[in-house]
Amino acid sequence: MFTELARRIAVAVVTGAALLVGTAPPGVATTSRSPIPPDANYHLVLEWGGRCLEERSQDGHVSQWGCHTGPTQVWRLVLDPTTGYHRIINGATGRCLEVRGGSLSNGARVVGVTCQPNVKHQTWLLNPKPGVVVHEIKPRHSAKCLDIAHGGEGSVAHQWECHGGGNQRWLIMPER
């Protein structure tokens, strides 16, 4: 049985409908390279497999799971207009997405932690890919990509050198 969110994801993957990422509403300027309207709630859907990014536990563990409409898969994208980078804040916990400890290493875990001001490994560039409706999501401190290790349900989020694969390409779907 398809939920409304699953149906929207299927439509986005099949049609590549640009309206799903949208553009800023009239009168709203963005300095980010992404046309995503800032300060709104979204689901982050991995192109490869169509699963959603989720913070499931109180320890900040972030991984991919089948998409649903619960708050653990809702992420608020808060743009800093002076830098063009976003904080990505979980709807259930209020915690920020972070590369653990500011590591520069491939494979460093991406976790949910208490938001802190001026922490570069808690800010992210939404980098749209030309000709498609997906984004690379890059932590400011390393410019690597938010990546899901190959696997299914529960595969962990980490950073990895950007290579353009479907495990690094994200549909940014407005919350409904």
Side-chain angles (χ1 to χ4, degrees):
M1 177 162 124
F2 269 57
T3 64
E4 175 61 18
L5 179 59
R7 186 194 65 74
R8 289 178 49 232
I9 292 165
V11 168
V13 170
V14 171
T15 67
L19 61 94
L20 291 174
V21 293
T23 56
V28 175
T30 64
T31 58
S32 172
R33 294 174 53 191
S34 171
I36 300 294
D39 301 326
N41 292 333
Y42 297 91
H43 294 273
L44 303 179
V45 183
L46 191 62
E47 180 184 57
W48 183 54
R51 293 183 181 95
C52 287
L53 194 66
E54 180 168 354
E55 183 182 350
R56 282 194 111 167
S57 63
Q58 293 306 312
D59 66 0
H61 181 81
V62 176
S63 54
Q64 71 169 355
W65 292 93
C67 297
H68 57 74
T69 58
T72 57
Q73 290 187 354
V74 173
W75 299 90
R76 184 157 191 83
L77 305 181
V78 180
L79 177 67
D80 177 345
T82 63
T83 66
Y85 287 86
H86 290 78
R87 284 192 180 277
I88 302 176
I89 303 170
N90 186 265
T93 66
R95 292 188 290 221
C96 284
L97 204 59
E98 170 186 287
V99 175
R100 183 176 280 159
S103 174
L104 296 173
S105 299
N106 280 337
R109 292 284 301 271
V110 173
V111 296
V113 299
T114 301
C115 298
Q116 300 292 326
N118 304 315
V119 175
K120 287 184 179 180
H121 54 279
Q122 288 185 1
T123 56
W124 302 81
L125 178 67
L126 306 179
N127 186 31
K129 301 310 295 171
V132 293
V133 295
V134 295
H135 287 70
E136 290 175 337
I137 301 176
K138 298 179 171 192
R140 182 178 181 185
H141 78 291
S142 72
K144 295 184 184 233
C145 280
L146 175 60
D147 182 290
I148 297 290
H150 295 286
E153 297 284 314
S155 294
V156 300
H158 59 221
Q159 73 174 357
W160 201 266
E161 290 292 330
C162 299
H163 53 69
N167 64 323
Q168 294 183 343
R169 293 162 47 120
W170 299 87
L171 292 160
I172 301 176
M173 308 283 294
E175 178 188 32
R176 298 274 178 188

